[in-house]
Amino acid sequence: MEGKGKVNGVAAMAACYQGFDPAAYLQYNYTPPRADFERKDSIVPWKLACLHRAFTEGDVRGELLVDIGSGPTLYQVLSGCEVFNKVLLTDFLEVNRQELRGWLEDEGGCNLDWTPYLQHVCKLEGRRPSAWTEKAAKLRQVITDIVPVDVHRPQPLALYALPSEGADCLVSCFCLESVSPDLAAFTRALGHIGRLLRTGGHLLLIGALGESYYFGGPGVRIPVVPLNEAQVCASLKESGYTLIRLEVYTLPQDMRVGVDDVSGVFFVKAIKE
Ligand SMILES: C[S@@+](CC[C@H](N)C(=O)[O-])C[C@H]1O[C@@H](n2cnc3c(N)ncnc32)[C@H](O)[C@@H]1O
Ligand SMILES: O=S(=O)(c1ccc2c(c1)CN[C@@H](CF)C2)N1CCSCC1
């Protein structure tokens, strides 16, 4: 029964995603009030600072960075693109892979202007904000491909997508808990993506705390596994990672805008043993 339940739960989650709307998702989460660079307590500066520190504090290195469940967003690789000379973006849905290709091709075919994000990360790097055009060019240069992924498969990526030694670093944001039917599936998925990572490679994981649903488009209500910090730590340990750092951000009341019931966001830096 458990096996049958497992397949049905994952299949049900895949069905939920058929209505996912990249433009709406970007509007809900990546424009003000959530993405307000002027607010000191905004989530955006916090998240971009976590990623900047994690990529630049000296222990993360190598050739290939893989972003698992990229969705239609790029903020998660804006620091990493200066550290790795190959960045692989991945998503389950073609509509999201198409959104990312639209940005990559730089012909106006994307639904969000990432300039404020690029400028903010340039500021974190001590560069002038106008260097954002150089950062955009750098990111377009290092993105090697945008490929399908399914974290519920023991081998989430096609074998051609990765070199035999695996990725040197994984980043994954708001994916595993948003695509898993329950905590056990979340933990299994963590193990599956771990197989893509070389021993000693780093995992940078960002996710939602206390979230039970979100809207992936108008009327597209997607269930989420509600997580707390202890569950995140236990799943990491069970999946063969050693935690380096866990940071938590509690969403201010006015950032709870009805598109989900998230109460906080976690940032994890871990290493695969
Ligand atoms: C909440 S969005 C996160 C997007 C982006 N990483 C961010 O930080 O906003 C979850 C993403 O997981 C993708 N997804 C859905 N099912 C998946 C699966 N089985 N394996 C991997 N990704 C999946 C969706 O297409 C969607 O882009
Ligand atoms: O942390 S966010 O507010 C955010 C960003 C994305 C998501 C959530 C929250 C919560 N629901 C998730 C569903 F999977 C998606 N944020 C939006 C502004 S830029 C940094 C990320």
Side-chain angles (χ1 to χ4, degrees), residues 1 5 7 89 127 154 258:
M1 188 57 192
V7 169
L89 303 179
R127 300 160 69 178

Side-chain angles (χ1 to χ4, degrees), residues 28-119:
Y28 297 161
N29 293 292
Y30 293 93
T31 62
R34 285 189 160 183
D36 181 347
F37 292 86
E38 300 313 315
R39 271 182 64 158
K40 285 283 163 284
D41 66 342
S42 167
I43 178 92
V44 182
W46 179 82
K47 275 188 58 172
L48 296 177
C50 287
L51 289 162
H52 170 72
R53 179 184 170 202
F55 277 117
T56 59
E57 57 193 341
D59 53 346
V60 173
R61 63 180 68 83
E63 177 93 351
L64 175 62
L65 167 66
V66 178
D67 178 24
I68 300 294
S70 306
T73 68
L74 290 162
Y75 70 92
Q76 60 271 26
V77 291
L78 297 184
S79 292
C81 73
E82 306 291 349
V83 178
F84 292 90
N85 51 34
K86 289 180 184 170
V87 175
L88 182 64
L89 303 179
T90 76
D91 200 72
F92 183 71
L93 296 175
E94 173 56 21
V95 285
N96 285 326
R97 298 193 297 267
Q98 196 46 46
E99 175 71 20
L100 294 171
R101 286 189 207 104
W103 182 84
L104 199 56
E105 288 153 13
D106 195 14
E107 289 167 1
C110 63
N111 283 291
L112 189 82
D113 175 10
W114 291 100
T115 305
Y117 291 78
L118 288 153
Q119 289 173 331

Side-chain angles (χ1 to χ4, degrees), residues 25 29-30 34 43-44 47 174 178 211 214 260 262 265:
Y25 178 77
N29 293 292
Y30 293 93
R34 285 189 160 183
I43 178 92
V44 182
K47 275 188 58 172
F174 298 110
S178 309
E211 183 174 52
Y214 80 99
D260 53 44
V262 65
V265 174

Side-chain angles (χ1 to χ4, degrees), residues 14 43 70 111 142 149-150 190 199 201 212-213 215 251 259 264 266 273:
I43 178 92
S70 306
N111 283 291
V142 300
V149 66
D150 183 348
L190 205 42
T199 300
S212 67
Y213 78 90
F215 282 97
L251 240 66
V259 296
F266 67 83
E273 294 307 357

Side-chain angles (χ1 to χ4, degrees), residues 9 12-13 16-17 20 25 29 34 173-183 185-186 206-216 220-228 231 259-264 266:
M13 284 310 300
C16 287
Y17 272 94
F20 188 91
Y25 178 77
N29 293 292
R34 285 189 160 183
C173 301
F174 298 110
C175 180
L176 303 189
E177 73 279 8
S178 309
V179 307
S180 298
D182 51 41
L183 181 60
F186 170 85
I206 291 179
L209 292 170
E211 183 174 52
S212 67
Y213 78 90
Y214 80 99
F215 282 97
V220 182
R221 192 179 190 279
I222 296 175
V224 179
V225 183
L227 297 172
N228 61 41
Q231 289 167 323
V259 296
D260 53 44
D261 63 348
V262 65
S263 60
F266 67 83

